[in-house]
Amino acid sequence: GNWGLIDKKGKRIVKCIYDHLNTENLVDEIVLFELNENCGIINLKNNEFIKTDFNHITTFVNGIAIAYEKIRDEKKYCLINIKGEEVVKLNYDDAGFFNEGLAYVGRKYADYIFKYGFIDLTGKLVIPLKYALAHSFEDGLCVVGIEDENINDKYGAIDSKGNNVIPFIYDELHS
């Protein structure tokens, strides 16, 4: 079905023509849309609709989001502003979304083998690419995985400085 948006009184403010709408930034009057495999930004403050070439845009944090454009089978990641403009090119093969000011990024080293670290809102790598698996930060901690000497994943948690807070001894760990 098609997605649209109404206000509290039922008045339509965004036409029901979109494949999907993300309203997580609605408090900032920003809505993300998907239409025909591309994403865009609706700024409700000035009724601006911005189509982009991006195939995915994460939720904005402090006016910055991670986006990617799929070219052939590769995803090209970058940081964008709320006008849909690229502000920083990211040289990674995977990226998450910002939570608590950090987002995981990963670089592929071999088939299905990635190393993950974390960037800040400027795109600077602040926790090195050394984890086999990474999630997003929540309440100051992040579940990450490492490979042990037997190439088994072991899970623990780090803080926002990259300090190991929960040891890497668990076969499974959830936040």
Side-chain angles (χ1 to χ4, degrees):
N2 291 342
W3 291 55
L5 199 60
I6 59 172
D7 66 14
K8 292 178 183 177
K9 296 178 181 173
K11 179 183 172 211
R12 185 179 67 195
I13 54 176
V14 175
K15 290 181 182 178
C16 292
I17 61 170
Y18 298 99
D19 299 330
H20 182 76
L21 291 177
N22 176 340
T23 58
E24 290 183 40
N25 287 116
L26 197 54
V27 70
D28 298 321
E29 296 189 58
I30 299 292
V31 177
L32 301 174
F33 68 83
E34 291 177 26
L35 183 63
N36 301 326
E37 298 185 25
N38 281 31
C39 293
I41 302 161
I42 302 169
N43 186 333
L44 298 174
K45 287 180 193 169
N46 57 14
N47 206 25
E48 184 177 22
F49 289 71
I50 304 165
K51 269 186 84 173
T52 72
D53 290 329
F54 299 115
N55 300 103
H56 182 75
I57 301 172
T58 65
T59 303
F60 282 90
V61 174
N62 295 338
I64 297 292
I66 294 175
Y68 71 75
E69 181 179 5
K70 195 170 183 179
I71 301 172
R72 292 182 208 81
D73 288 335
E74 284 187 46
K75 295 176 182 175
K76 302 292 183 187
Y77 289 90
C78 65
L79 299 183
I80 63 169
N81 61 25
I82 60 173
K83 294 181 178 178
E85 301 165 330
E86 181 179 309
V87 292
V88 176
K89 194 175 290 296
L90 298 175
N91 187 24
Y92 300 104
D93 302 305
D94 192 13
F97 58 90
F98 285 106
N99 203 28
E100 299 185 17
L102 299 172
Y104 71 78
V105 291
R107 190 164 291 137
K108 188 175 183 178
Y109 288 93
D111 281 345
Y112 306 106
I113 297 176
F114 284 79
K115 290 293 181 188
Y116 289 92
F118 294 84
I119 60 171
D120 64 15
L121 288 162
T122 68
K124 179 182 175 193
L125 187 67
V126 294
I127 298 175
L129 300 167
K130 63 181 185 178
Y131 301 103
L133 180 99
H135 294 280
S136 295
F137 275 88
E138 194 172 317
D139 297 323
L141 295 179
C142 179
V143 173
V144 291
I146 60 170
E147 288 183 347
D148 68 13
E149 59 277 353
N150 298 319
I151 312 178
N152 295 316
D153 289 339
K154 292 294 181 185
Y155 299 92
I158 59 172
D159 65 16
S160 62
K161 303 278 187 231
N163 299 314
N164 187 12
V165 177
I166 297 175
F168 294 96
I169 58 174
Y170 300 98
D171 294 329
E172 213 172 295
L173 186 62
H174 302 277
S175 60

